[in-house]
Amino acid sequence: MSGKTTGYFLRRSLWPCNLLGPLHMRRISANASRRCSSSEPTKQANSVKRSQFIPAAESKHDWVGPPHRLSNLRPIIYHIPENETELEKQLRTLRQETEDWNHAFWTNQNITFNKEKDAFVLSQLKEKGLTERDEKGRKRALNSEEMAVFYKHFLDENCIRHANYNKDWYRRNFTITLLMGRVAFHSVWRTLAERRGWKKGSPTT
């Protein structure tokens, strides 16, 4: 692993996990796109490779990278604890799968949004008899009222896709929250058992 790659990631403490922060950010961003089914990202989205960064074995933290240039989301590599239990592995796997799903969704959405916005701007300039760039080579832009027409159309066209995304996002986070609670409960139980010398066993949750 190169030093350059390592420098792009910052470690973060494992607990508490910020579940609501990304939700607010993504819901606001949802006001900017939809086109395909949320379960069917485009080939462009699927072709985007995640970082191959691997934290050192002695690392005790999650690692967060810089915002991706297409999805605008920060990639997260979750810490794999020593002696990870099956329940902890289930939680970590679901969290990582959710990160990948979210990355693919917003990569596709942002690519679609930018392409359609550029096409709209060019069509409006053409109607005015203008070229894409002015005499000084600067890219022409539309005013806020003209762009509002595009934004409204895009939101209307993507309404169902955003609704499906939000439902799936809430479902995933609800499951993650339940798993986090179970992991925490088992951890407390294990600690008490070790301190009091109880026989090994897991509580029913």
Side-chain angles (χ1 to χ4, degrees):
M1 177 200 330
S2 67
K4 181 179 180 181
T5 304
T6 306
Y8 281 146
F9 280 80
L10 300 174
R11 69 180 187 178
R12 72 172 186 182
S13 58
L14 294 177
W15 301 97
C17 173
N18 181 7
L19 291 177
L20 295 181
L23 177 60
H24 296 320
M25 178 272 291
R26 288 157 192 157
R27 288 191 67 192
I28 292 173
S29 299
N31 289 333
S33 33
R34 158 208 168 271
R35 181 45 64 85
C36 314
S37 165
S38 62
S39 61
E40 299 177 357
T42 63
K43 291 181 180 179
Q44 283 178 303
N46 287 332
S47 66
V48 178
K49 295 182 179 180
R50 292 182 60 83
S51 170
Q52 299 302 309
F53 173 81
I54 300 176
E58 64 272 15
S59 172
K60 302 297 181 184
H61 304 272
D62 294 339
W63 288 78
V64 182
H68 190 274
R69 67 183 183 84
L70 295 176
S71 70
N72 294 323
L73 300 177
R74 291 180 178 274
I76 300 176
I77 298 178
Y78 291 100
H79 166 66
I80 303 178
E82 234 180 304
N83 303 318
E84 182 181 45
T85 67
E86 281 301 315
L87 193 60
E88 290 171 336
K89 183 178 180 180
Q90 185 180 350
L91 171 61
R92 177 177 58 80
T93 300
L94 179 57
R95 292 174 74 190
Q96 193 67 69
E97 287 176 351
T98 299
E99 290 292 331
D100 295 342
W101 163 81
N102 211 29
H103 170 71
F105 177 90
W106 285 112
T107 295
N108 176 63
Q109 285 296 87
N110 292 338
I111 289 173
T112 302
F113 176 81
N114 288 326
K115 281 186 175 181
E116 295 194 10
K117 184 182 69 172
D118 290 344
F120 175 81
V121 171
L122 286 175
S123 68
Q124 294 301 303
L125 291 175
K126 187 175 181 180
E127 285 185 11
K128 297 179 180 181
L130 298 173
T131 57
E132 183 179 3
R133 298 183 180 277
D134 61 19
E135 297 77 9
K136 295 183 179 181
R138 295 174 300 191
K139 199 169 184 179
R140 298 182 193 273
L142 302 179
N143 61 42
S144 58
E145 291 184 359
E146 291 171 319
M147 289 305 300
V149 175
F150 166 74
Y151 295 139
K152 182 181 185 305
H153 172 75
F154 199 81
L155 286 174
D156 292 342
E157 286 291 308
N158 287 271
C159 180
I160 296 176
R161 179 167 168 75
H162 289 157
N164 290 337
Y165 166 83
N166 281 332
K167 284 190 291 186
D168 205 3
W169 175 252
Y170 279 117
R171 179 185 61 78
R172 285 172 177 271
N173 275 277
F174 180 73
T175 304
I176 288 173
T177 302
L178 288 180
L179 281 174
M180 290 176 71
R182 291 180 63 191
V183 168
F185 181 71
H186 278 254
S187 178
V188 171
W189 179 271
R190 187 167 58 245
T191 300
L192 288 175
E194 290 174 354
R195 289 180 179 177
R196 302 194 180 190
W198 294 342
K199 291 182 179 180
K200 288 186 178 181
S202 298
T204 302
T205 55

